[in-house]
Amino acid sequence: MKKSLLIINLGTPDSPSYFDVFKYLREFLSDEKVLNINPILRFILVNFIICPFRSFSSSKIYKKVWHKDYGSPLLHNTKELTKLLSEQLPDVDVQFAMRYQSPSIATTIDQMLAKNPDEIVILPLFPHYAAATTGSVFKEVSKCLADKWVVPKITFINQFYDNDVFINAWITKANKFDIHSYDKVIFSYHGVPNSHVDNVYPDSLCKDNNCELEITDANKFCYKATVYETTKLIAQKLNLDSSKYIVSFQSRLTNKWLDPFTDEVLEKLPAQNHKKVLVFSPAFTADCLETIIEIGDEYQELFIDAGGEVLDYVPSLNYSNDYVSLSKILKNEQIKAELTWIYE
């Protein structure tokens, strides 16, 4: 059985130039799964208001993280992970794509189909399901396959937030820090609009479903519920009492996004005599702009200016030996495709 594995990350500009950043932001923000407003209003906002102005500031930030040898850290991390998987899965055609910009999902799927596989496993590198990430990937994959005359078996892995070895990989990362020496531990996740999590529930709202406390049949695809569950699983293995840590959300565009907001949480901590803080960001499996700059630079400066003393960041899993390697994808080919994690 010829198997293929396609791992998919969010995307990155081709360069940190204004025009390449504009191109990336335009594609990203034009996605109705990301900005779910009236299409005409979205077109006007994205093309004439947001992108023309935001591309200047974003270009400056991308230049800070752009490496002289390999460029985008997100692209580099994803490429290296693909190489690692190819070594571990010699009988599987392993490729990677980006939801936005290059290499595109459409081009990569065409290359994989040309090899006539029996099955393609699609693995978005987002541990927690959200319509704006995993949902958008599914929509794009479906669009790319819709006009094909021959479509092999497609297995789509939509989340892995509670996988034991995924959790253990974060524990290994955390063990490089004296975690109990910190006054507070912050679990900072990428934010999403409140409307996105509310849309998970046909007859209620997110706030009515105890998402901070438990996973139920109703909230099992709610981004808020799954990030709280990841946090609890990591905290339990680190013997962290619930009073020791805070779940927060970063990278918001408006105040109608999931809260509490990470920047506001960090600003208040020094006044509460919490001056040494450790930050995790388990929604990101690869370091990128949001971790390197937003947490590593901007939040650190904000925290120190507010009277804090130390803000340390636990690096993402990336592709190092501390990462979970994804292998033995099709454990039982006849029944189901199963994601098995093997920790190195």
Side-chain angles (χ1 to χ4, degrees):
M1 185 174 183
K2 293 173 65 176
K3 295 167 284 188
S4 298
L5 170 63
L6 175 59
I7 63 172
I8 300 175
N9 224 324
L10 189 68
T12 181
D14 292 332
S15 83
S17 72
Y18 171 86
F19 293 105
D20 280 341
V21 172
F22 185 104
K23 183 181 175 183
Y24 168 72
L25 289 177
R26 182 175 59 189
E27 183 181 5
F28 172 56
L29 295 172
S30 295
D31 187 345
E32 63 180 11
K33 291 284 189 178
V34 174
L35 200 57
N36 57 330
I37 59 176
N38 178 279
I40 297 175
L41 177 59
R42 181 172 59 243
F43 178 84
I44 294 171
L45 280 174
V46 169
N47 289 276
F48 301 108
I49 299 175
I50 299 177
C51 288
F53 295 99
R54 190 172 178 182
S55 296
F56 281 111
S57 58
S58 294
S59 176
K60 291 179 182 178
I61 296 172
Y62 273 109
K63 286 175 182 176
K64 290 182 181 180
V65 300
W66 217 260
H67 195 279
K68 62 182 180 65
D69 294 326
Y70 56 72
S72 162
L74 181 67
L75 181 61
H76 173 69
N77 284 323
T78 309
K79 280 183 178 178
E80 292 301 316
L81 176 59
T82 304
K83 291 179 184 177
L84 176 65
L85 293 175
S86 294
E87 293 170 2
Q88 294 173 344
L89 300 166
D91 298 324
V92 177
D93 176 31
V94 183
Q95 302 290 337
F96 78 94
M98 296 292 176
R99 172 59 186 92
Y100 309 105
Q101 296 301 284
S102 57
S104 71
I105 292 175
T107 299
T108 308
I109 284 181
D110 282 347
Q111 292 171 351
M112 299 180 93
L113 290 176
K115 299 177 183 179
N116 199 27
D118 295 287
E119 178 172 7
I120 300 177
V121 177
I122 310 291
L123 175 59
L125 295 176
F126 313 115
H128 313 86
Y129 180 87
T133 53
T134 310
S136 178
V137 168
F138 181 83
K139 177 186 174 184
E140 183 66 13
V141 169
S142 301
K143 175 183 174 183
C144 294
L145 293 171
D147 62 349
K148 305 299 182 187
W149 284 104
V150 175
V151 177
K153 179 181 179 182
I154 302 294
T155 299
F156 191 88
I157 297 167
N158 61 356
Q159 55 184 356
F160 49 92
Y161 66 91
D162 59 349
N163 183 277
D164 284 341
V165 187
F166 169 72
I167 299 298
N168 287 337
W170 281 107
I171 302 305
T172 300
K173 286 283 189 179
N175 285 339
K176 296 180 180 179
F177 298 82
D178 182 5
I179 196 162
H180 294 287
S181 71
Y182 293 90
D183 301 320
K184 282 286 183 181
V185 176
I186 306 297
F187 290 88
S188 179
Y189 294 88
H190 197 291
V192 299
N194 291 322
S195 60
H196 283 208
V197 290
D198 287 339
N199 284 340
V200 172
Y201 307 97
D203 302 313
S204 63
L205 299 174
C206 177
K207 65 180 182 180
D208 303 321
N209 285 274
N210 295 321
C211 292
E212 299 92 339
L213 303 177
E214 60 180 345
I215 295 292
T216 67
D217 189 60
N219 70 16
K220 62 189 177 184
F221 293 118
C222 175
Y223 180 78
K224 183 177 180 179
T226 57
V227 302
Y228 269 90
E229 185 68 14
T230 293
T231 303
K232 284 188 286 184
L233 292 171
I234 294 173
Q236 287 169 4
K237 294 205 171 192
L238 293 174
N239 295 315
L240 280 178
D241 185 80
S242 59
S243 63
K244 184 80 172 181
Y245 65 87
I246 300 171
V247 176
S248 60
F249 300 90
Q250 64 185 85
S251 310
R252 69 185 185 277
L253 291 181
T254 76
N255 286 332
K256 294 182 179 180
W257 284 39
L258 290 177
D259 59 20
F261 305 129
T262 303
D263 56 348
E264 294 182 357
V265 168
L266 289 171
E267 273 189 311
K268 294 175 182 176
L269 287 180
Q272 300 166 1
N273 205 31
H274 301 312
K275 297 190 177 184
K276 186 177 181 182
V277 171
L278 182 66
V279 181
F280 285 82
S281 195
F284 300 99
T285 55
D287 280 313
C288 54
L289 216 63
E290 285 82 359
T291 62
I292 299 169
I293 298 298
E294 189 170 13
I295 297 176
D297 287 353
E298 295 173 3
Y299 287 175
Q300 184 175 67
E301 182 179 353
L302 178 152
F303 182 66
I304 299 301
D305 287 347
E309 296 174 357
V310 176
L311 187 148
D312 290 331
Y313 169 67
V314 180
S316 295
L317 303 180
N318 297 319
Y319 61 90
S320 69
N321 288 335
D322 293 324
Y323 191 24
V324 287
S325 59
L326 318 172
S327 59
K328 299 182 179 177
I329 294 293
L330 299 179
K331 191 173 182 180
N332 189 328
E333 298 174 4
Q334 301 303 316
I335 301 174
K336 62 181 180 179
E338 183 175 320
L339 179 62
T340 299
W341 298 78
I342 297 179
Y343 179 63
E344 290 190 335

